[in-house]
């Protein structure tokens, strides 16, 4: 978080961030046009995504130790081999879905140990609980091997929980897409249900070391 006295600096950094996005859009257009002029383009699997967004509007310079929509809502563009028509899909997916998507597009079976589900051109993914993980950035004195926060999306609700002090924030994204009103104080049953789904999601990890978060 930055102090209010830094607001002029934050405004400059946000403008530079938005400028960099505009530049990336332009460069990506040029790159895609070049690639699709090549003879191999019809058999190309093209994936464009990001690792996270930024959270200037939440009082952070860049992004912080949080999992709000401004950080977790990222672009994902996929063009499958021989795909001719594009469409928008509103169903939430996870970065963990990308590896099985690539394996499946190659025509190979997805290994049992691989997390995520393959996304396919011919059908939309079924709605399911979606999980995001935040690791605190290491410093000169400390390393954080375990997640510091987890978030789960289920239906219209989103729960963000701290692995450190077990506190939680609950939002109804259908009414509050900007996550301005924490309703955790009046939705105990919903919180417990989402925590149970989060525990089940964590337990499904196939490889070691496995993430752990006492919630």
């Amino acid at each position: 978080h930055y102090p209010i006295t830094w607001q002029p600096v934050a405004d400059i950094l946000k403008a530079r961030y938005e400028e960099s996005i505009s530049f990336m859009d332009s460069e990506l257009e040029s790159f895609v046009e070049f690639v699709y002029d090549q003879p191999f383009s019809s058999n190309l699997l093209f994936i464009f995504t990001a690792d996270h967004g930024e959270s200037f509007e939440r009082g952070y310079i860049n992004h912080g130790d949080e999992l709000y929509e401004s950080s977790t809502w990222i672009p994902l563009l996929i063009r499958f081999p021989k795909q001719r028509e594009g469409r928008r899909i509103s169903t939430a997916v996870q970065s963990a879905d990308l590896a099985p998507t690539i394996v499946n597009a190659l025509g190979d079976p997805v290994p049992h140990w691989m997390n995520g589900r393959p996304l396919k051109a011919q059908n939309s993914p079924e709605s399911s609980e979606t999980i995001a993980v935040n690791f605190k950035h290491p410093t000169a004195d400390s390393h954080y091997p375990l997640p510091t926060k987890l978030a789960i999306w289920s239906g219209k609700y989103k729960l963000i929980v701290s692995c450190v002090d077990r506190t939680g924030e609950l939002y109804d994204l259908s009414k509050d897409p900007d996550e301005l009103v924490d309703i955790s104080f009046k939705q105990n049953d919903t919180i417990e249900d989402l925590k149970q789904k989060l525990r089940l999601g964590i337990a499904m990890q196939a490889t070691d070391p496995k993430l752990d978060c006492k919630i």
Side-chain angles (χ1 to χ4, degrees):
H1 280 102
Y2 61 85
I4 192 63
T5 54
W6 285 22
Q7 190 60 52
V9 176
D11 291 340
I12 293 173
L13 293 176
K14 183 178 180 182
R16 289 179 176 174
Y17 173 62
E18 293 174 346
E19 181 183 10
S20 70
I21 292 176
S22 179
F23 175 75
M24 177 63 74
D25 285 346
S26 176
E27 292 298 295
L28 180 63
E29 179 182 17
S30 299
F31 174 74
V32 170
E33 289 177 349
F34 168 77
V35 168
Y36 286 122
D37 281 340
Q38 308 307 309
F40 57 78
S41 63
S42 64
N43 199 37
L44 182 71
L45 173 65
F46 181 90
I47 299 178
F48 176 83
T49 189
D51 53 351
H52 56 74
E54 305 294 357
S55 295
F56 294 101
E57 65 272 33
R58 306 293 308 204
Y60 288 91
I61 288 183
N62 303 318
H63 58 282
D65 300 329
E66 44 79 19
L67 291 170
Y68 296 116
E69 296 291 279
S70 53
S71 288
T72 57
W73 190 280
I74 58 174
L76 175 59
L77 309 175
I78 302 179
R79 190 270 198 181
F80 290 91
K82 299 179 174 59
Q83 181 179 348
R84 294 186 176 276
E85 296 183 357
R87 58 195 174 108
R88 290 179 178 269
I89 297 175
S90 59
T91 306
V93 297
Q94 305 175 120
S95 298
D97 297 330
L98 296 182
T101 296
I102 295 170
V103 172
N104 183 259
L106 291 171
D108 295 328
V110 177
H112 68 89
W113 50 262
M114 187 172 283
N115 296 326
R117 54 182 173 168
L119 308 176
K120 302 178 181 180
Q122 61 271 25
N123 61 311
S124 300
E126 295 182 0
S127 296
S128 63
E129 282 75 37
T130 304
I131 296 173
V133 182
N134 180 79
F135 286 86
K136 188 175 179 65
H137 196 279
T139 64
D141 301 321
S142 301
H143 174 62
Y144 302 90
L146 297 177
T148 50
K149 285 190 177 180
L150 300 176
I152 182 169
W153 290 255
S154 182
K156 65 180 183 179
Y157 291 111
K158 176 183 177 182
L159 176 68
I160 303 173
V161 295
S162 169
C163 299
V164 178
D165 57 19
R166 304 187 185 185
T167 57
E169 303 172 49
L170 181 67
Y171 299 97
D172 181 345
L173 296 180
S174 66
K175 299 178 180 178
D176 181 23
D178 294 325
E179 300 164 297
L180 300 177
V181 181
D182 178 8
I183 59 173
S184 59
F185 67 95
K186 59 180 180 181
Q187 295 278 359
N188 288 333
D189 291 342
T190 300
I191 289 177
E192 289 307 312
D193 176 62
L194 292 179
K195 281 186 175 182
Q196 179 60 22
K197 291 177 178 178
L198 198 48
R199 295 186 192 102
L200 290 174
I202 296 174
M204 292 174 62
Q205 297 173 82
T207 56
D208 292 321
K210 295 183 178 180
L211 302 183
D212 188 21
C213 180
K214 305 298 184 182
I215 54 174

